[in-house]
Amino acid sequence: MNKIIIAIDGHSSCGKSTLARALGNALGYTYISTGDMYRAVTLYFIENQVDIHVKTAVLEALKHINLHFVADENGNHIHLNGRDVSEEIRKMHVAELVSPVAVISEVRREMVRQQQDMGKEKGVVMDGRDIGTVVFPNAELKIFLTADVEVRAQRRFDELTAKGQHVNFDEVKNNLAERDRIDSTRADSPLRLADDSVVIDNSSLNHEQQLELALDLVRERVSG
Ligand code: DC
């Protein structure tokens, strides 16, 4: 079966990573969460007190950031300069700063370059906000995932609470809504629907149903 590129874009916390990971496992494809890359850059900026409003400071910092993914049975872990930060980047202090960081064109340019490199051989499932529009405009399959904001906030709240983080529901919901707003209205590579995306609203779909839908689309693209 010839390998394709699958781009999954959509709003915050609507299960893009879960679907992308499941598709990657089902197809034997590499799965990349590009949100993890923006989050890891944000963590570096926080830890090193990089002023995100000073272009030269951002460019200098980017030279010292090395990102790579390490796969194990629990998924794909992002490493920042050799350190596994996949837990740390999911915390609220990172979530609160990541959208302003993802607005910065210098950051985007570097992330997009690395992402395109990872997809050179095809056989990748990549999730993010601009994968079908900017990173891989020629991806064979583009999925735009969305869900009701209440449903998304509840899912993220449950996930954070299960990890022992003390968060309040409104705080989580407001953070989601604010990230959606910044991600969709920024000048550089805003979240938007590519003309050839297939929209899946998963508000009332379980994981298996979403995976089946997506696998049907893959079969169509591969055979067509
Ligand atoms: O997918 P996520 O929620 O982990 O992404 C974190 C943030 O990174 C999100 O608020 C927007 C940004 N992002 C982006 O701008 N472009 C991408 N391709 C992926 C994420």
Side-chain angles (χ1 to χ4, degrees), residues 57-118:
V58 167
L59 282 171
E60 185 56 30
L62 283 170
K63 289 189 206 153
H64 300 282
I65 297 178
N66 180 276
L67 303 177
H68 71 278
F69 286 92
V70 177
D72 69 12
E73 63 280 2
N74 300 316
N76 220 2
H77 292 242
I78 190 159
H79 287 229
L80 166 63
N81 295 335
R83 171 168 62 114
D84 183 348
V85 293
S86 39
E87 285 292 322
E88 190 70 19
I89 57 166
R90 307 240 70 84
K91 296 189 176 160
M92 278 306 275
H93 71 291
V94 176
E96 274 160 11
L97 198 68
V98 64
S99 281
V101 167
V103 161
I104 305 169
S105 292
E106 289 74 15
V107 172
R108 300 206 71 80
R109 208 169 304 137
E110 179 56 22
M111 295 304 108
V112 169
R113 189 189 64 73
Q114 294 187 19
Q115 290 153 13
Q116 288 173 334
D117 204 49
M118 292 175 203

Side-chain angles (χ1 to χ4, degrees), residues 8-13 16-17 33-39 42 89-90 95 98-103 108 111-112 115 127-131 135 156 175-176 179-180 182-183 186 188-189 191:
I8 304 186
D9 291 303
H11 294 110
S12 290
S13 289
K16 295 185 298 295
S17 307
S33 163
T34 63
D36 283 6
M37 298 172 72
Y38 289 95
R39 284 170 183 266
T42 303
I89 57 166
R90 307 240 70 84
V98 64
S99 281
V101 167
V103 161
R108 300 206 71 80
M111 295 304 108
V112 169
Q115 290 153 13
D127 81 76
R129 304 292 186 291
D130 60 342
I131 310 305
V135 182
R156 182 50 62 99
N175 173 259
L176 280 190
R179 281 202 284 143
D180 285 349
I182 300 178
D183 297 344
R186 67 180 175 223
D188 189 344
S189 323
L191 170 65

